[in-house]
Protein backbone atom coordinates (compact mmCIF):
# COMPACT_ATOMS: atom_id res chain seq x y z
CA UNK A 1 0.00 0.00 0.00
CA UNK A 2 1.18 3.47 -0.85
CA UNK A 3 1.55 6.06 1.85
CA UNK A 4 0.89 9.73 1.10
CA UNK A 5 4.63 10.40 0.88
CA UNK A 6 5.29 7.54 -1.51
CA UNK A 7 2.55 8.71 -3.83
CA UNK A 8 4.35 12.08 -4.12
CA UNK A 9 7.40 10.36 -5.58
CA UNK A 10 5.75 10.45 -9.00
CA UNK A 11 4.10 13.78 -9.77
CA UNK A 12 2.16 14.27 -12.99
CA UNK A 13 0.73 17.47 -14.43
CA UNK A 14 -1.12 18.35 -17.62
CA UNK A 15 -0.47 21.48 -19.65
CA UNK A 16 -2.51 21.77 -22.81
CA UNK A 17 -2.34 18.30 -24.36
CA UNK A 18 0.99 17.37 -22.80
CA UNK A 19 1.21 15.18 -19.70
CA UNK A 20 4.47 15.54 -17.78
CA UNK A 21 5.47 12.77 -15.39
CA UNK A 22 8.13 13.85 -12.90
CA UNK A 23 10.24 11.39 -10.94
CA UNK A 24 10.44 13.16 -7.59
CA UNK A 25 12.41 11.41 -4.88
CA UNK A 26 15.51 13.60 -4.73
CA UNK A 27 16.57 12.44 -1.25
CA UNK A 28 17.29 9.02 -2.80
CA UNK A 29 18.49 10.39 -6.15
CA UNK A 30 15.10 9.50 -7.67
CA UNK A 31 15.70 5.76 -7.19
CA UNK A 32 12.52 4.02 -8.36
CA UNK A 33 10.57 1.84 -5.92
CA UNK A 34 7.95 -0.76 -6.78
CA UNK A 35 5.21 1.72 -5.82
CA UNK A 36 6.70 4.29 -8.21
CA UNK A 37 6.73 1.79 -11.11
CA UNK A 38 3.08 1.15 -10.32
CA UNK A 39 2.32 4.88 -10.50
CA UNK A 40 4.15 5.20 -13.81
CA UNK A 41 2.20 2.29 -15.29
CA UNK A 42 -1.04 4.00 -14.19
CA UNK A 43 0.11 7.24 -15.80
CA UNK A 44 0.96 5.53 -19.10
CA UNK A 45 -2.34 3.64 -19.16
CA UNK A 46 -4.32 6.77 -18.38
CA UNK A 47 -2.46 8.86 -20.97
CA UNK A 48 -2.85 6.16 -23.63
CA UNK A 49 -6.63 6.19 -23.21
CA UNK A 50 -7.28 9.88 -22.62
CA UNK A 51 -7.87 11.65 -25.98
CA UNK A 52 -7.05 14.97 -24.29
CA UNK A 53 -3.43 13.80 -23.89
CA UNK A 54 -1.31 13.66 -27.05
CA UNK A 55 2.24 13.56 -25.71
CA UNK A 56 3.88 12.34 -22.49
CA UNK A 57 7.15 13.72 -21.12
CA UNK A 58 9.19 11.92 -18.46
CA UNK A 59 11.70 13.94 -16.47
CA UNK A 60 13.47 14.17 -13.11
CA UNK A 61 13.98 16.84 -10.46
CA UNK A 62 16.87 18.66 -8.81
CA UNK A 63 19.68 17.64 -11.13
CA UNK A 64 18.89 13.93 -11.26
CA UNK A 65 16.89 11.87 -13.74
CA UNK A 66 16.97 8.63 -11.75
CA UNK A 67 19.56 6.49 -9.94
CA UNK A 68 17.65 3.52 -11.34
CA UNK A 69 15.88 0.77 -9.52
CA UNK A 70 15.83 1.20 -5.74
CA UNK A 71 18.63 -1.12 -4.60
CA UNK A 72 16.91 -1.79 -1.28
CA UNK A 73 13.87 -3.06 -3.22
CA UNK A 74 16.20 -5.32 -5.22
CA UNK A 75 17.17 -6.98 -1.93
CA UNK A 76 13.57 -7.81 -1.01
CA UNK A 77 13.13 -11.59 -0.96
CA UNK A 78 9.73 -11.24 -2.65
CA UNK A 79 11.58 -10.71 -5.95
CA UNK A 80 12.39 -14.39 -5.84
CA UNK A 81 8.77 -15.52 -5.63
CA UNK A 82 6.62 -13.10 -7.55
CA UNK A 83 7.17 -10.87 -10.54
CA UNK A 84 8.24 -7.48 -9.22
CA UNK A 85 6.30 -4.44 -10.35
CA UNK A 86 9.14 -3.43 -12.64
CA UNK A 87 7.96 -6.04 -15.15
CA UNK A 88 4.52 -4.46 -15.77
CA UNK A 89 6.33 -1.16 -16.32
CA UNK A 90 8.70 -2.78 -18.82
CA UNK A 91 5.74 -4.37 -20.59
CA UNK A 92 3.76 -1.10 -20.75
CA UNK A 93 6.62 1.13 -21.89
CA UNK A 94 7.16 -0.21 -25.44
CA UNK A 95 3.41 -0.42 -26.05
CA UNK A 96 2.67 3.20 -25.18
CA UNK A 97 1.03 4.41 -28.41
CA UNK A 98 1.65 8.17 -28.25
CA UNK A 99 4.90 10.14 -28.44
CA UNK A 100 6.96 9.67 -25.29
CA UNK A 101 9.67 12.26 -24.66
CA UNK A 102 12.38 12.32 -22.02
CA UNK A 103 14.25 15.26 -20.54
CA UNK A 104 17.40 14.05 -18.80
CA UNK A 105 18.92 16.47 -16.31
CA UNK A 106 21.56 14.54 -14.33
CA UNK A 107 22.43 10.92 -13.51
CA UNK A 108 20.40 8.35 -15.46
CA UNK A 109 21.48 4.98 -14.07
CA UNK A 110 20.32 1.51 -15.13
CA UNK A 111 16.66 1.74 -16.05
CA UNK A 112 17.19 5.52 -16.11
CA UNK A 113 19.16 4.93 -19.30
CA UNK A 114 17.38 1.85 -20.65
CA UNK A 115 13.92 3.46 -20.45
CA UNK A 116 15.22 6.11 -22.86
CA UNK A 117 15.48 3.42 -25.55
CA UNK A 118 11.67 3.29 -25.43
CA UNK A 119 11.25 7.03 -25.63
CA UNK A 120 10.64 8.57 -29.03
CA UNK A 121 12.85 11.60 -28.48
CA UNK A 122 15.39 12.28 -25.76
CA UNK A 123 16.71 15.72 -24.77
CA UNK A 124 19.66 15.82 -22.40
CA UNK A 125 21.17 18.60 -20.37
CA UNK A 126 24.94 18.92 -20.74
CA UNK A 127 25.03 17.78 -17.09
CA UNK A 128 23.32 14.45 -17.83
CA UNK A 129 25.36 11.32 -17.07
CA UNK A 130 24.26 7.91 -18.30
CA UNK A 131 25.22 4.38 -17.23
CA UNK A 132 24.05 0.79 -17.51
CA UNK A 133 26.06 -0.85 -14.68
CA UNK A 134 24.20 -4.17 -14.69
CA UNK A 135 27.17 -6.55 -14.95
CA UNK A 136 29.17 -4.74 -12.27
CA UNK A 137 26.14 -5.14 -9.96
CA UNK A 138 26.05 -8.88 -10.66
CA UNK A 139 23.01 -8.29 -12.89
CA UNK A 140 22.25 -8.46 -16.61
CA UNK A 141 20.70 -6.12 -19.21
CA UNK A 142 16.96 -5.41 -18.79
CA UNK A 143 14.17 -3.40 -20.40
CA UNK A 144 14.99 -4.87 -23.78
CA UNK A 145 18.40 -3.18 -23.74
CA UNK A 146 20.15 -6.35 -24.93
CA UNK A 147 18.21 -5.85 -28.18
CA UNK A 148 17.78 -2.09 -28.32
CA UNK A 149 21.18 -0.77 -27.23
CA UNK A 150 23.15 -2.70 -29.90
CA UNK A 151 20.50 -1.53 -32.40
CA UNK A 152 20.90 2.11 -31.40
CA UNK A 153 24.60 2.33 -30.50
CA UNK A 154 26.19 -0.52 -32.51
CA UNK A 155 27.35 -3.92 -31.26
CA UNK A 156 30.83 -3.09 -29.94
CA UNK A 157 29.83 0.14 -28.23
CA UNK A 158 26.74 -1.44 -26.65
CA UNK A 159 28.82 -4.35 -25.38
CA UNK A 160 31.38 -2.00 -23.84
CA UNK A 161 28.66 0.04 -22.14
CA UNK A 162 26.73 -2.99 -20.87
CA UNK A 163 29.76 -4.97 -19.67
CA UNK A 164 31.93 -2.27 -18.12
CA UNK A 165 29.00 -0.13 -17.00
CA UNK A 166 31.06 3.07 -16.98
CA UNK A 167 29.25 6.42 -16.84
CA UNK A 168 29.17 8.39 -20.11
CA UNK A 169 28.26 12.00 -20.71
CA UNK A 170 25.55 13.61 -22.83
CA UNK A 171 27.84 14.20 -25.81
CA UNK A 172 28.84 10.51 -25.89
CA UNK A 173 25.17 9.57 -25.52
CA UNK A 174 24.32 11.76 -28.49
CA UNK A 175 27.10 10.29 -30.61
CA UNK A 176 25.90 6.81 -29.60
CA UNK A 177 22.41 7.70 -30.83
CA UNK A 178 20.69 7.58 -27.42
CA UNK A 179 20.00 11.30 -27.29
CA UNK A 180 18.53 13.66 -29.90
CA UNK A 181 19.97 16.89 -28.60
CA UNK A 182 22.23 18.18 -25.84
CA UNK A 183 21.26 21.56 -24.42
CA UNK A 184 22.46 23.85 -21.64
CA UNK A 185 20.96 22.86 -18.25
CA UNK A 186 18.60 25.88 -18.12
CA UNK A 187 17.39 25.19 -21.69
CA UNK A 188 16.45 21.54 -21.17
CA UNK A 189 13.01 22.03 -19.69
CA UNK A 190 11.83 24.72 -22.19
CA UNK A 191 13.28 22.73 -25.12
CA UNK A 192 11.42 19.55 -24.14
CA UNK A 193 8.24 21.57 -23.55
CA UNK A 194 8.41 23.22 -26.97
CA UNK A 195 9.11 19.88 -28.72
CA UNK A 196 6.17 18.32 -26.88
CA UNK A 197 3.89 21.22 -27.89
CA UNK A 198 5.00 20.94 -31.53
CA UNK A 199 4.17 17.21 -31.49
CA UNK A 200 0.83 17.85 -29.76
CA UNK A 201 -0.18 20.25 -32.54
CA UNK A 202 0.35 17.67 -35.31
CA UNK A 203 -2.39 15.35 -36.66
CA UNK A 204 -2.57 12.87 -33.76
CA UNK A 205 -3.51 9.73 -35.68
CA UNK A 206 -0.71 10.24 -38.22
CA UNK A 207 1.77 10.74 -35.38
CA UNK A 208 0.59 7.59 -33.57
CA UNK A 209 0.72 5.55 -36.77
CA UNK A 210 4.22 6.83 -37.52
CA UNK A 211 5.34 5.62 -34.11
CA UNK A 212 3.61 2.28 -34.61
CA UNK A 213 5.32 1.74 -37.96
CA UNK A 214 8.76 2.71 -36.66
CA UNK A 215 8.46 0.42 -33.62
CA UNK A 216 6.46 -2.45 -35.17
CA UNK A 217 9.24 -5.02 -35.69
CA UNK A 218 10.92 -4.09 -32.41
CA UNK A 219 7.71 -4.55 -30.43
CA UNK A 220 7.30 -8.04 -31.91
CA UNK A 221 10.85 -8.99 -30.92
CA UNK A 222 10.71 -7.27 -27.54
CA UNK A 223 8.11 -9.64 -26.15
CA UNK A 224 10.53 -12.56 -26.41
CA UNK A 225 13.55 -10.47 -25.41
CA UNK A 226 11.84 -9.17 -22.25
CA UNK A 227 10.94 -12.72 -21.22
CA UNK A 228 14.49 -13.97 -21.79
CA UNK A 229 16.09 -11.00 -20.02
CA UNK A 230 13.59 -11.24 -17.16
CA UNK A 231 14.29 -14.93 -16.52
CA UNK A 232 18.04 -14.32 -16.28
CA UNK A 233 17.62 -11.10 -14.30
CA UNK A 234 15.46 -12.79 -11.64
CA UNK A 235 18.16 -15.41 -11.11
CA UNK A 236 20.88 -12.76 -10.99
CA UNK A 237 18.98 -10.74 -8.36
CA UNK A 238 19.37 -13.53 -5.80
CA UNK A 239 22.94 -14.44 -6.81
CA UNK A 240 25.88 -14.12 -4.38
CA UNK A 241 27.52 -11.76 -6.90
CA UNK A 242 24.60 -9.33 -6.70
CA UNK A 243 24.46 -9.67 -2.91
CA UNK A 244 28.11 -8.57 -2.73
CA UNK A 245 27.48 -5.64 -5.12
CA UNK A 246 24.41 -4.38 -3.20
CA UNK A 247 26.14 -4.77 0.19
CA UNK A 248 29.15 -2.83 -1.12
CA UNK A 249 26.89 0.02 -2.32
CA UNK A 250 25.12 0.44 1.02
CA UNK A 251 28.37 0.00 2.99
CA UNK A 252 29.95 2.66 0.71
CA UNK A 253 32.92 0.43 -0.20
CA UNK A 254 34.31 -1.13 -3.39
CA UNK A 255 32.79 -4.50 -4.31
CA UNK A 256 35.11 -7.53 -4.29
CA UNK A 257 34.29 -10.29 -6.78
CA UNK A 258 37.61 -12.16 -6.40
CA UNK A 259 36.04 -15.18 -4.66
CA UNK A 260 33.54 -15.98 -7.43
CA UNK A 261 34.09 -18.30 -10.38
N1 LIG B 1 18.63 2.71 -4.64
C1 LIG B 1 18.48 3.06 -3.35
N2 LIG B 1 19.05 4.15 -2.82
C2 LIG B 1 19.82 4.91 -3.63
C3 LIG B 1 20.03 4.59 -4.98
C4 LIG B 1 19.41 3.42 -5.49
N3 LIG B 1 19.51 3.06 -6.76
N4 LIG B 1 20.84 5.52 -5.52
C5 LIG B 1 21.13 6.39 -4.53
N5 LIG B 1 20.51 6.03 -3.40
C6 LIG B 1 20.55 6.72 -2.10
C7 LIG B 1 21.89 6.53 -1.42
O1 LIG B 1 21.92 5.31 -0.71
C8 LIG B 1 21.92 7.74 -0.52
O2 LIG B 1 21.10 7.47 0.57
P1 LIG B 1 21.53 7.99 2.07
O3 LIG B 1 21.54 9.49 1.95
O4 LIG B 1 20.44 7.46 2.92
O5 LIG B 1 22.89 7.39 2.31
C9 LIG B 1 21.22 8.81 -1.35
O6 LIG B 1 20.44 8.12 -2.31
C10 LIG B 1 22.18 9.73 -2.09
O7 LIG B 1 23.03 8.93 -2.91
P2 LIG B 1 24.60 9.19 -3.07
O8 LIG B 1 25.23 7.98 -3.65
O9 LIG B 1 25.16 9.72 -1.79
O10 LIG B 1 24.58 10.38 -4.17
P3 LIG B 1 25.74 10.83 -5.17
O11 LIG B 1 25.31 12.15 -5.72
O12 LIG B 1 27.08 10.68 -4.53
O13 LIG B 1 25.67 9.74 -6.37
C11 LIG B 1 24.57 8.30 -7.98
C12 LIG B 1 24.54 9.63 -7.21
C13 LIG B 1 23.27 8.14 -8.73
C14 LIG B 1 25.76 8.29 -8.96
C15 LIG B 1 24.78 7.16 -6.95
O14 LIG B 1 23.82 7.32 -5.92
C16 LIG B 1 24.63 5.77 -7.50
O15 LIG B 1 25.52 5.25 -8.17
N6 LIG B 1 23.52 5.10 -7.15
C17 LIG B 1 23.31 3.70 -7.44
C18 LIG B 1 22.86 3.53 -8.86
C19 LIG B 1 22.62 2.07 -9.20
O16 LIG B 1 23.48 1.23 -9.10
N7 LIG B 1 21.37 1.79 -9.62
C20 LIG B 1 20.91 0.50 -9.98
C21 LIG B 1 21.11 0.27 -11.44
S1 LIG B 1 20.51 -1.30 -11.95
Amino acid sequence: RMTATESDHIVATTEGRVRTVVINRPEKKNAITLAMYGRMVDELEHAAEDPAIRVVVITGVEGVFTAGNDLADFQEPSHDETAPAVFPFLAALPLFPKPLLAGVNGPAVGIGTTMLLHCDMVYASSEAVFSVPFARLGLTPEAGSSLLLPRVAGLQRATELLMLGEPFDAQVAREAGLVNEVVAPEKRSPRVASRAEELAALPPAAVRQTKALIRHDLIDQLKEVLEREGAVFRERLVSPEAAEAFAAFFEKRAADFSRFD
Side-chain angles (χ1 to χ4, degrees), residues 75 137-138 236-248 253 259:
Q75 292 173 304
L137 288 168
R236 298 305 317 166
L237 268 179
V238 293
S239 69
E241 291 177 358
E244 163 60 12
F246 300 159
R253 60 170 173 85
R259 69 179 182 279

Side-chain angles (χ1 to χ4, degrees), residues 26-168:
E27 69 282 6
K28 293 290 179 189
K29 299 286 163 184
N30 283 354
I32 306 175
T33 61
L34 300 182
M36 291 161 73
Y37 286 119
R39 283 274 291 118
M40 291 200 282
V41 171
D42 292 346
E43 278 299 330
L44 290 177
E45 282 174 357
H46 172 257
E49 277 162 27
D50 185 351
I53 305 294
R54 289 190 176 174
V55 178
V56 170
V57 172
I58 301 181
T59 190
V61 276
E62 294 183 28
V64 60
F65 185 64
T66 167
N69 203 101
D70 187 282
L71 289 171
D73 267 15
F74 265 168
Q75 292 173 304
E76 289 291 315
S78 63
H79 281 295
D80 200 13
E81 306 292 322
T82 56
V86 63
F87 292 104
F89 176 67
L90 298 183
L93 202 51
L95 298 177
F96 184 66
K98 300 175 183 179
L100 185 60
L101 270 52
V104 184
N105 55 321
V109 186
I111 195 155
T113 289
T114 58
M115 77 165 81
L116 303 175
L117 297 163
H118 300 277
C119 292
D120 299 295
M121 294 173 208
V122 179
Y123 297 88
S125 135
S126 51
E127 289 174 351
V129 183
F130 305 81
S131 62
V132 277
F134 302 114
R136 63 170 62 216
L137 288 168
L139 304 173
T140 43
E142 40 71 304
S145 58
S146 63
L147 170 73
L148 297 174
L149 197 56
R151 171 73 68 102
V152 167
L155 191 55
Q156 308 308 114
R157 185 155 43 186
T159 305
E160 189 176 42
L161 296 175
L162 286 168
M163 278 189 186
L164 283 165
E166 293 162 330
F168 51 102

